[in-house]
Amino acid sequence: MGLGILEDRVLEHVPGTTQYFDDPERPQYATDGAHEHLKCDRSGPVPIVLVPQPTDDPNDPLNWPLWRRDLVTLVLSITSVFATALGPILAADTVLLVSTLKDVTFVKASLLTGYFLLGCGASAFLFVPSSRIWGKRHLFVLGTILLIVTSIWTAASGNKSYTNFLWSRIFQGVAAAPFESLVNAAVGDLYFVHERGKRMAFTNLAVFGGAFFTPILVGKISNDMGWQWTFWFVAIFSGVCLPAVYLFCPETAYRRDPTPRFSATKNDQEQEPKEQPAPSHQTSTDSTTAPKDEEHIHTATEAPASTTGAPTPTPPKATFVQSLALFNGRKSSDSFWKLTLRPLPLLLHPAFLWACLIQGLLIGWTVFIGVLMAFFFISVPLWWDEVQTGYAYTGAFVGALLGFAIAGGLSDWSARLMTKWNGGVYEPEFRLVLVIPQMVLGCAGLYGFGITLDGMLFGKYHYAMPLTFFGLEVAGMVIGAVAGSLYIVDAYRDIVIEGFTAMIIFKNFFSFALTFKAWPWLIQSSVKAEKIFNALGSVQLVVCLLTIPLYIYGKRLRSFSYRHDILELCHLR
């Protein structure tokens, strides 16, 4: 038993369990001659083994100059800010919409956010398998065009009818889906393992941070210029991004041969034949980069090419005009419909169901709070306008930054420390310790928000109190998203794409369902927030405590899943 994790009784080497070098601090340096046949980064004083190994093809994204790869990441990240901003763009305008649009109630106003999430979640079913077969470029270009068109649609005619407004929000969700689900995957296509850390943090900050910063600006814009201008601005800035996406973001998916696997033991290599040909870099890298950076390593090698070993001529470098093509060949020979259906059975798998709950619930509670905030802060006793309500999201934005700081600081440090305690053997279950700060911050935020929100109405607490607890809840949400993602990546890396798709679908559909219930629940509780958030906090606490049996039995579950592949049982392999 390693640090409380039960050993498997069937397999001696369970997929996901890896053994580092004797010194867990040792990075992936090629200093002993053992890796002299591999390509290395020799820009520093000591060569670093490149993972994954690039091909000799000049069109391989891993062979592009670093400035070009960074430019692609920058353009996609900036565009992602405007795409994800459309989610909470109406958060500060709920009362304004109810008062200015005909026959719009608080429930209908909240559903304008809910249907955006529905469109985003539903389109992920099609976009993710499409990206695996035909690449990501066409989806990024299509998404940017839709951002422009749907934002103009809403700004120009959203006030004419509620139905028109609602449909525009659904298609805005479709437009945002490629950026929510594929930008981090593109980073995995573009960079080697040792280059991904800062870039992944940057793209995550663009996707999450932009969403929480948006209401701060929207309130002021809506108050001074009208709510329509929030969508006009998205259309304008997305229009600026479109030529940049088209000209400077070529296809990042590449169909490559399986690259050398870096495993500590021969048995590790022999026991994982079912995996997609993604290089397992955990065993050759230091524990600082190995578990974390494998999060998106599958995206760079998701479609294997021929493995005959016969030499093939190096293709010529594509011209700039050729790089503008939306399609440049299939990246996978898998069936589109099989790829589309694969995420569904994973919702019945205990580990994936846990991951959906651990990150999806707090994301849903965050949407729930956003729906209710306008009612409490624009009405008695504060009587805030849209500007002040927008500024109230400053606490959530700071909470998101706090969550990123805690998750980034603890995720690798805790994995490295526990690996050292475990004699240099890394178990994916070490990632689950991140649930501890998530539980403390998330549950405290939910309980505290309800208590202080009611107290604020009677002058017992200053308005800063519930906003502070909202920030704690958001911090817990971010940590939970990191914890769930890292565990799935390390424990089930052969089906990680399907796992991420399942989590995206779950959290969007769950959040959509909550927008239906926010106002009815508030009315049923006699406008008492404490009762509602005590229930939400208790549900979140139970879900966090489910991590304990997963930590104890997780290794046996991985072994069972390897021996009884749920996708093969459903004939989806």
Side-chain angles (χ1 to χ4, degrees), residues 126-445:
L126 302 178
F127 285 171
V128 172
S130 177
S131 71
R132 295 188 64 183
I133 294 178
W134 295 292
K136 304 173 183 66
R137 173 172 165 77
H138 69 286
L139 295 173
F140 288 136
V141 174
L142 174 63
T144 308
I145 294 174
L146 284 177
L147 287 177
I148 300 170
V149 173
T150 56
S151 296
I152 294 175
W153 177 4
T154 305
S157 59
N159 60 343
K160 293 183 179 179
S161 74
Y162 177 79
T163 301
N164 186 67
F165 200 163
L166 193 65
W167 277 105
S168 70
R169 292 291 286 164
I170 293 175
F171 282 99
Q172 282 174 356
V174 175
F179 299 96
E180 180 181 286
S181 56
L182 298 176
V183 169
N184 281 338
V187 173
D189 293 342
L190 289 168
Y191 297 100
F192 302 105
V193 165
H194 69 283
E195 297 175 329
R196 292 178 186 164
K198 294 180 181 178
R199 278 87 176 182
M200 201 69 69
F202 181 74
T203 55
N204 281 326
L205 183 61
V207 172
F208 285 99
F212 288 107
F213 189 70
T214 298
I216 300 175
L217 300 177
V218 164
K220 179 66 174 175
I221 295 172
S222 298
N223 186 74
D224 294 350
M225 305 175 68
W227 63 264
Q228 292 91 339
W229 266 100
T230 60
F231 293 97
W232 281 121
F233 279 125
V234 172
I236 292 170
F237 289 119
S238 297
V240 174
C241 291
L242 178 59
V245 172
Y246 182 75
L247 295 174
F248 305 125
C249 296
E251 183 57 65
T252 62
Y254 182 79
R255 188 163 184 165
R256 65 180 70 248
D257 289 331
T259 54
R261 300 182 60 85
F262 301 96
S263 187
T265 66
K266 180 181 178 181
N267 291 340
D268 287 342
Q269 292 178 315
E270 292 175 347
Q271 194 154 323
E272 298 179 353
K274 296 193 300 179
E275 294 187 48
Q276 299 168 7
S280 174
H281 60 278
Q282 287 186 333
T283 54
S284 68
T285 62
D286 68 311
S287 57
T288 302
T289 60
K292 176 183 74 172
D293 286 330
E294 195 173 73
E295 177 173 351
H296 295 278
I297 197 167
H298 63 278
T299 58
T301 56
E302 58 194 25
S306 172
T307 59
T308 60
T312 56
T314 301
K317 183 178 180 179
T319 65
F320 176 74
V321 174
Q322 289 174 329
S323 71
L324 299 180
L326 295 182
F327 302 91
N328 60 2
R330 287 180 67 100
K331 312 301 176 183
S332 172
S333 57
D334 290 331
S335 165
F336 177 82
W337 294 112
K338 282 189 175 182
L339 291 176
T340 301
L341 296 175
R342 278 183 184 179
L344 298 180
L346 297 184
L347 295 174
L348 303 177
H349 189 289
F352 289 92
L353 179 59
W354 169 87
C356 289
L357 293 174
I358 206 69
Q359 70 168 234
L361 289 190
L362 270 177
I363 292 175
W365 308 148
T366 303
V367 173
F368 188 83
I369 291 175
V371 170
L372 298 182
M373 274 188 66
F375 175 83
F376 285 98
F377 286 90
I378 292 184
S379 62
V380 64
L382 297 179
W383 298 110
W384 281 5
D385 58 17
E386 289 76 23
V387 178
Q388 293 168 306
T389 304
Y391 290 161
Y393 280 83
T394 303
F397 179 68
V398 174
L401 296 180
L402 176 64
F404 277 117
I406 293 175
L410 288 181
S411 60
D412 293 325
W413 175 82
S414 59
R416 183 170 61 248
L417 182 63
M418 296 181 73
T419 299
K420 188 174 182 179
W421 288 348
N422 201 37
V425 177
Y426 170 76
E427 301 283 2
E429 285 69 32
F430 294 164
R431 293 297 192 185
L432 302 182
V433 299
L434 278 177
V435 175
I436 297 175
Q438 179 205 11
M439 180 176 65
V440 173
L441 295 175
C443 293

